[in-house]
Amino acid sequence: MTLIKLFFEFLKIGAFSFGGGMATLPYVYEMAERTGWIEETGITNILAVSQVTPGPLACNIGTIVGMNAQGIWGAIIANIAFVIPAICFMGISYRLIKKIENNGIASEVIKVVRAAALAMLVTSSITLFKSAFFTDNYSINFKCILLGLGIYVGTKYNKLSTIQLMLISSIIGGIIMV
Amino acid sequence: MKKILKFVYIFFMIGLESLGNMSAVMVILEENLIKKNKLVEEEDIIDAVTLSRIGPGAITANAVAYLGNKIAGFWGGVLATICYTIAPLMVMVAIYGFLEKALKFSFVQSALKGCLIYICIIFLKSTIEMGKGVLKNKFCIAIYLIAVLIELIFKVSCIWIVAGALIIGIIKVFFLKKKKSQLYLPYIDIIK
């Protein structure tokens, strides 16, 4: 019974939270209050933790809430329920795009939209850069910039895989910034 | 069968590598799907990111669903999204017990920062690549700059940016059409 309830809760969150991970939070807080599957401090902890674990924030919340409520099966059900709306929406919109893409007028319009989309991408990465290269009181962190330059040169001249490079840079980062 | 296994493996690895927010995951998608396996193109990733911002749910999961659709149809989308969520699920379950304690070590925190810096560098590189593909004429560059300014100053929701660009695009297409037909007229006169 809890599994079914969990399924519908996360289906609802997946279908109605527009705007990514942070937009799911109001629903999650509301759900936490109603069901008692997780406490408010628990949600704050997930927020901190999900910066460092793979996967979207909402899926991480789903896993933890599911684990709290019903163990591993709860986690799996919550994750599946959460992505069902995404799969449906994207399946439909991909077909729509395909249909209008070959139309000359539509492809011109899509080009303009792509330029605006690129702008959104760049502005949304500002927080990423701020937390990587600046300290908390807005001064430049030179160690980080040095490491960044090192990584840039490193990625130019070798053919390691993404995950290997990620590991290497995190180890170097850990050593020089402790 | 081999193809399906490879597909599963690729999206599982994407899930495992996808730390951070959308900008970071976009980089991972590019590395895995364009550079390593040549399954999609730059434009597809931009479309995926744009649409997934508009759609409900987690942005990165949406983008993965879109790209799965692109590569292998509807069931490709389903499989890609499921594979993408399995790896984070496993990691989260594995560290469920002792995660909060681990975060208190300063080594862990600075290691995470190192990781973040790597993502930033790759992000810079791939946005420059994308910019070369998208900003081909002056009109697109102008739209890009205006969108950046609007986003920075007013912080409007992305839906309005996309809607605005859509309207401007439609106006531009019809405006240019008229202009072209006017341009052709003198030539017709000369021929006559």
Side-chain angles (χ1 to χ4, degrees), chain B:
Chain B
M1 193 62 209
K2 216 178 165 191
K3 257 187 176 171
I4 296 176
L5 277 180
K6 180 138 199 243
F7 186 83
V8 168
Y9 172 74
I10 290 172
F11 279 96
F12 182 81
M13 285 313 276
I14 290 174
L16 201 60
E17 291 171 6
S18 67
L19 295 159
N21 66 356
M22 185 62 221
S23 335
V25 176
M26 189 203 79
V27 171
I28 309 289
L29 288 173
E30 273 210 336
E31 289 278 312
N32 281 293
L33 295 179
I34 298 180
K35 292 211 180 106
K36 263 194 222 155
N37 296 300
K38 299 199 170 50
L39 288 171
V40 296
E41 282 156 35
E42 299 270 352
E43 277 86 20
D44 295 322
I45 293 210
I46 295 187
D47 290 348
V49 173
T50 317
L51 269 175
S52 48
R53 274 162 191 277
I54 300 169
I59 299 177
T60 51
N62 282 345
V64 167
Y66 180 89
L67 294 170
N69 262 298
K70 166 86 196 170
I71 297 167
F74 179 75
W75 291 107
V78 174
L79 192 63
T81 322
I82 289 174
C83 295
Y84 173 74
T85 47
I86 284 175
L89 178 78
M90 277 162 49
V91 171
M92 219 51 190
V93 169
I95 56 179
Y96 179 65
F98 54 88
L99 193 77
E100 285 159 29
K101 283 171 208 148
L103 265 182
K104 285 184 185 133
F105 287 109
S106 62
F107 180 83
V108 176
Q109 282 184 350
S110 31
L112 292 172
K113 198 147 195 197
C115 219
L116 197 69
I117 292 170
Y118 169 74
I119 286 170
C120 279
I121 298 295
I122 306 282
F123 178 82
L124 263 185
K125 280 172 117 179
S126 59
T127 19
I128 290 169
E129 284 287 304
M130 271 191 187
K132 276 182 200 159
V134 173
L135 306 175
K136 270 183 182 150
N137 54 42
K138 277 178 191 157
F139 189 82
C140 284
I141 295 174
I143 291 289
Y144 169 78
L145 291 176
I146 291 168
V148 166
L149 280 180
I150 290 176
E151 192 78 335
L152 284 181
I153 297 168
F154 300 110
K155 293 200 176 13
V156 291
S157 159
C158 52
I159 289 182
W160 300 114
I161 299 264
V162 171
L166 208 67
I167 292 166
I168 292 172
I170 291 168
I171 292 170
K172 181 211 166 203
V173 167
F174 286 104
F175 178 70
L176 271 195
K177 254 194 171 171
K178 262 185 196 164
K179 229 180 171 181
K180 257 185 194 163
S181 60
Q182 279 167 359
L183 275 177
Y184 286 136
L185 283 176
Y187 289 101
I188 294 166
D189 285 343
I190 293 165
I191 293 165
K192 274 178 184 171

Side-chain angles (χ1 to χ4, degrees), chain A residues 1-7 37 62-78, chain B residues 96:
Chain A
M1 198 57 218
T2 321
L3 279 182
I4 297 169
K5 218 173 145 195
L6 206 59
F7 180 84
W37 283 328
T63 310
I64 297 286
V65 172
M67 284 288 277
N68 281 346
Q70 198 65 282
I72 179 98
W73 284 107
I76 292 170
I77 290 287
Chain B
Y96 179 65

